[in-house]
Amino acid sequence: MSSVVPDYALLPSDTHNDADDSSNDLGFDENDAEHTGKFAAFLAQLSNLFHRNVGLLLIVTAQVFLALVNVAVKKLNTIDPPVPTFELIFIRMATTYVFSIAYMKYTAVESPFLGPKGVRFLLMFRGFSGFFGVFGIYFSLKFLSLSDATVLTFLSPLCTAVAGALFLGETVGRKEIFAGLFSLIGVIFIARPTSLFGHHGPSLDGTALSMNSTNASSRITSPSATPTQRLIAVGVSLLGVLGSTGAYTSIRAIGKRAHALHSMVAFSGYSVIVSAIGLAVTHTPVVIPTSPIWLLLLLEIGVFGFCAQIFLTLGLQRETASRGTLAIYTLIVFTSLLDRIFFHSAPSLLSVLGTLIIVGSALWVIVTKKNQNQKSLPIKGVVGEDHPEDEGGEEEILLKTVEEAIGRASASNSNHDVFEVVVQKETGSLED
């Protein structure tokens, strides 16, 4: 009796299922392959996004270091006894000076101490004026919150535009003048002078803090500043803005006649000299905190301050001036966050309004300038060509000097032509 095989036993679907079963047994799955491909594509996009914005990330990292330095300064201002402002500047700038000189010696930069002849007076002026810029923010941190003290420094680029017009023959537009005048309203909101706003209690300042510690010598007390103290702090901060303006203007006048680190050496070196003289003239005793934490904070000021400058230099080397300057304004975000974490400080409504006015005015100038530069950007340019229309701060100036230094170091490299195109692109909107 012959056996009859059913037709369905030889259907192709059965053969296909057998193949699927064998492939499943071997661990293969079309869905797994599809998911793996999507994940690989996502990683590729993420990597591409990182490489396209690595300069921006470096600049943001620099702002984190600067915010941490300001936290350390304010902490050391609140211990008993507080560390004097002159001492804080001396420690930070001495560290920067040593590292800068060591690097210039290592790379065989000429005249590392005094700088090239012909610009030494300008370097001296840059150093002295830069000292007052740092002194302004460090002193203001005694009586202002981190965010208030930080946002006042954003007035420097606008003041530099005016100084460039007065002393260097640069042009300043109506929008810069309008933004500067409008920013003064923000300063008034942050200062809150008694003559305009009357007397406000501690709740408006949002800077009250009282932290108990088992160690009496390590007890932090940061009472709210009185209206008079706030006004003094804002006045000294504005003096610091003028100091920074003088520093930025002198860097423009120096141009490419000096290495980028010559400016840093002059800044740190003369700041060390002035702060040491200030300690001696005012008979201010040097305070050495007894707690190991406070000693670490002193070390943090020096090391983190230098690291911030390094990351800023590396970031601006890879980023355009307009995007780089926008990234610099993230400093106010980090200082506000750290102010809340370490000092439990909630900004008042007037401080928030003043911050928005100052930052908004500065960003408006940057964005409108960026659009104008994009419309008139030349196809070709000369490396080192002057562009007096620039109105940025030291960060933008540092970008150009660093690029010029790297260009000289790459002069014998086969890729120099490619690098020169990049430098021409960047210097189309920058001014030393």
Side-chain angles (χ1 to χ4, degrees):
M1 183 176 180
S2 61
S3 61
V4 179
V5 180
D7 294 339
Y8 62 79
L10 299 177
L11 290 175
S13 60
D14 286 356
T15 306
H16 178 71
N17 290 336
D18 292 340
D20 288 344
D21 292 340
S22 61
S23 64
N24 290 335
D25 292 340
L26 294 175
F28 294 103
D29 191 346
E30 292 181 359
N31 292 330
D32 291 343
E34 182 179 357
H35 291 320
T36 302
K38 290 182 178 180
F39 184 69
F42 172 75
L43 290 180
Q45 292 178 355
L46 193 63
S47 176
N48 184 40
L49 180 67
F50 172 78
H51 288 294
R52 283 190 289 110
N53 295 279
V54 63
L56 211 64
L57 294 175
L58 287 170
I59 297 174
V60 172
T61 303
Q63 305 315 302
V64 175
F65 276 106
L66 287 176
L68 291 173
V69 168
N70 290 340
V71 169
V73 170
K74 190 166 182 64
K75 282 283 189 182
L76 291 171
N77 277 329
T78 57
I79 67 174
D80 187 20
V83 180
T85 303
F86 286 124
E87 181 180 346
L88 294 173
I89 296 175
F90 183 91
I91 292 173
R92 176 184 172 180
M93 293 306 169
T95 305
T96 301
Y97 183 81
V98 171
F99 286 152
S100 299
I101 288 293
Y103 177 81
M104 294 179 77
K105 284 289 188 180
Y106 177 76
T107 55
V109 177
E110 296 181 358
S111 303
F113 296 99
L114 299 178
K117 294 181 179 180
V119 296
R120 290 178 179 176
F121 176 78
L122 289 173
L123 287 172
M124 181 185 300
F125 180 78
R126 185 266 180 272
F128 280 117
S129 57
F131 162 81
F132 289 101
V134 178
F135 181 85
I137 185 171
Y138 280 15
F139 180 88
S140 64
L141 284 171
K142 291 182 178 181
F143 306 113
L144 299 179
S145 65
L146 278 176
S147 55
D148 285 352
T150 299
V151 76
L152 289 174
T153 64
F154 294 159
L155 293 171
S156 297
L158 298 175
C159 294
T160 303
V162 177
L166 292 176
F167 301 106
L168 302 180
E170 299 178 353
T171 57
V172 57
R174 285 180 294 180
K175 70 175 182 297
E176 287 83 6
I177 297 176
F178 175 78
L181 295 176
F182 195 57
S183 296
L184 293 179
I185 301 176
V187 175
I188 293 174
F189 285 157
I190 293 176
R192 298 195 289 274
T194 306
S195 59
L196 295 178
F197 297 93
H199 294 276
H200 297 290
S203 59
L204 182 60
D205 291 337
T207 56
L209 172 64
S210 179
M211 298 177 61
N212 296 324
S213 175
T214 55
N215 186 356
S217 62
S218 300
R219 185 173 181 270
I220 301 177
T221 57
S222 180
S224 295
T226 64
T228 301
Q229 290 173 329
R230 283 189 63 88
L231 197 58
I232 293 174
V234 171
V236 174
S237 181
L238 293 179
L239 176 64
V241 170
L242 293 179
S244 298
T245 299
Y248 300 159
T249 306
S250 62
I251 293 175
R252 292 179 174 213
I254 292 171
K256 296 178 296 300
R257 292 178 289 172
H259 192 279
L261 280 177
H262 280 132
S263 175
M264 290 302 302
V265 169
F267 177 30
S268 56
Y270 286 109
S271 294
V272 168
I273 294 174
V274 176
S275 58
I277 294 175
L279 286 171
V281 171
T282 59
H283 303 286
T284 303
V286 176
V287 175
I288 301 178
T290 56
S291 172
I293 295 179
W294 309 139
L295 291 175
L296 288 176
L297 288 177
L298 285 175
L299 183 64
E300 174 190 336
I301 291 175
V303 176
F304 279 22
F306 183 77
C307 289
Q309 193 63 50
I310 291 297
F311 279 108
L312 186 63
T313 302
L314 294 175
L316 289 172
Q317 174 188 331
R318 293 163 172 80
E319 194 53 80
T320 61
S322 54
R323 276 166 50 92
T325 307
L326 290 174
I328 289 170
Y329 283 93
T330 60
L331 177 61
I332 188 61
V333 177
F334 298 122
T335 52
S336 299
L337 180 62
L338 295 175
D339 203 9
R340 184 65 176 171
I341 294 175
F342 289 98
F343 303 102
H344 310 289
S345 175
S348 68
L349 179 60
L350 290 177
S351 290
V352 173
L353 184 58
T355 298
L356 293 177
I357 290 175
I358 294 176
V359 175
S361 298
L363 291 180
W364 177 63
V365 172
I366 294 171
V367 171
T368 55
K369 177 179 172 56
K370 176 183 177 182
N371 294 334
Q372 291 174 357
N373 287 338
Q374 287 177 344
K375 292 179 182 179
S376 60
L377 185 66
I379 298 177
K380 284 181 140 185
V382 179
V383 178
E385 181 182 358
D386 290 336
H387 296 273
E389 72 275 12
D390 178 64
E391 298 151 5
E394 181 179 10
E395 290 84 5
E396 297 181 15
I397 298 165
L398 183 61
L399 166 60
K400 190 173 180 182
T401 52
V402 167
E403 286 176 337
E404 184 236 338
I406 296 177
R408 289 197 302 265
S410 306
S412 60
N413 192 294
S414 59
N415 295 326
H416 172 65
D417 292 337
V418 177
F419 181 83
E420 182 174 348
V421 172
V422 176
V423 176
Q424 290 173 351
K425 173 187 173 184
E426 299 297 339
T427 55
S429 60
L430 294 179
E431 165 66 19
D432 283 308

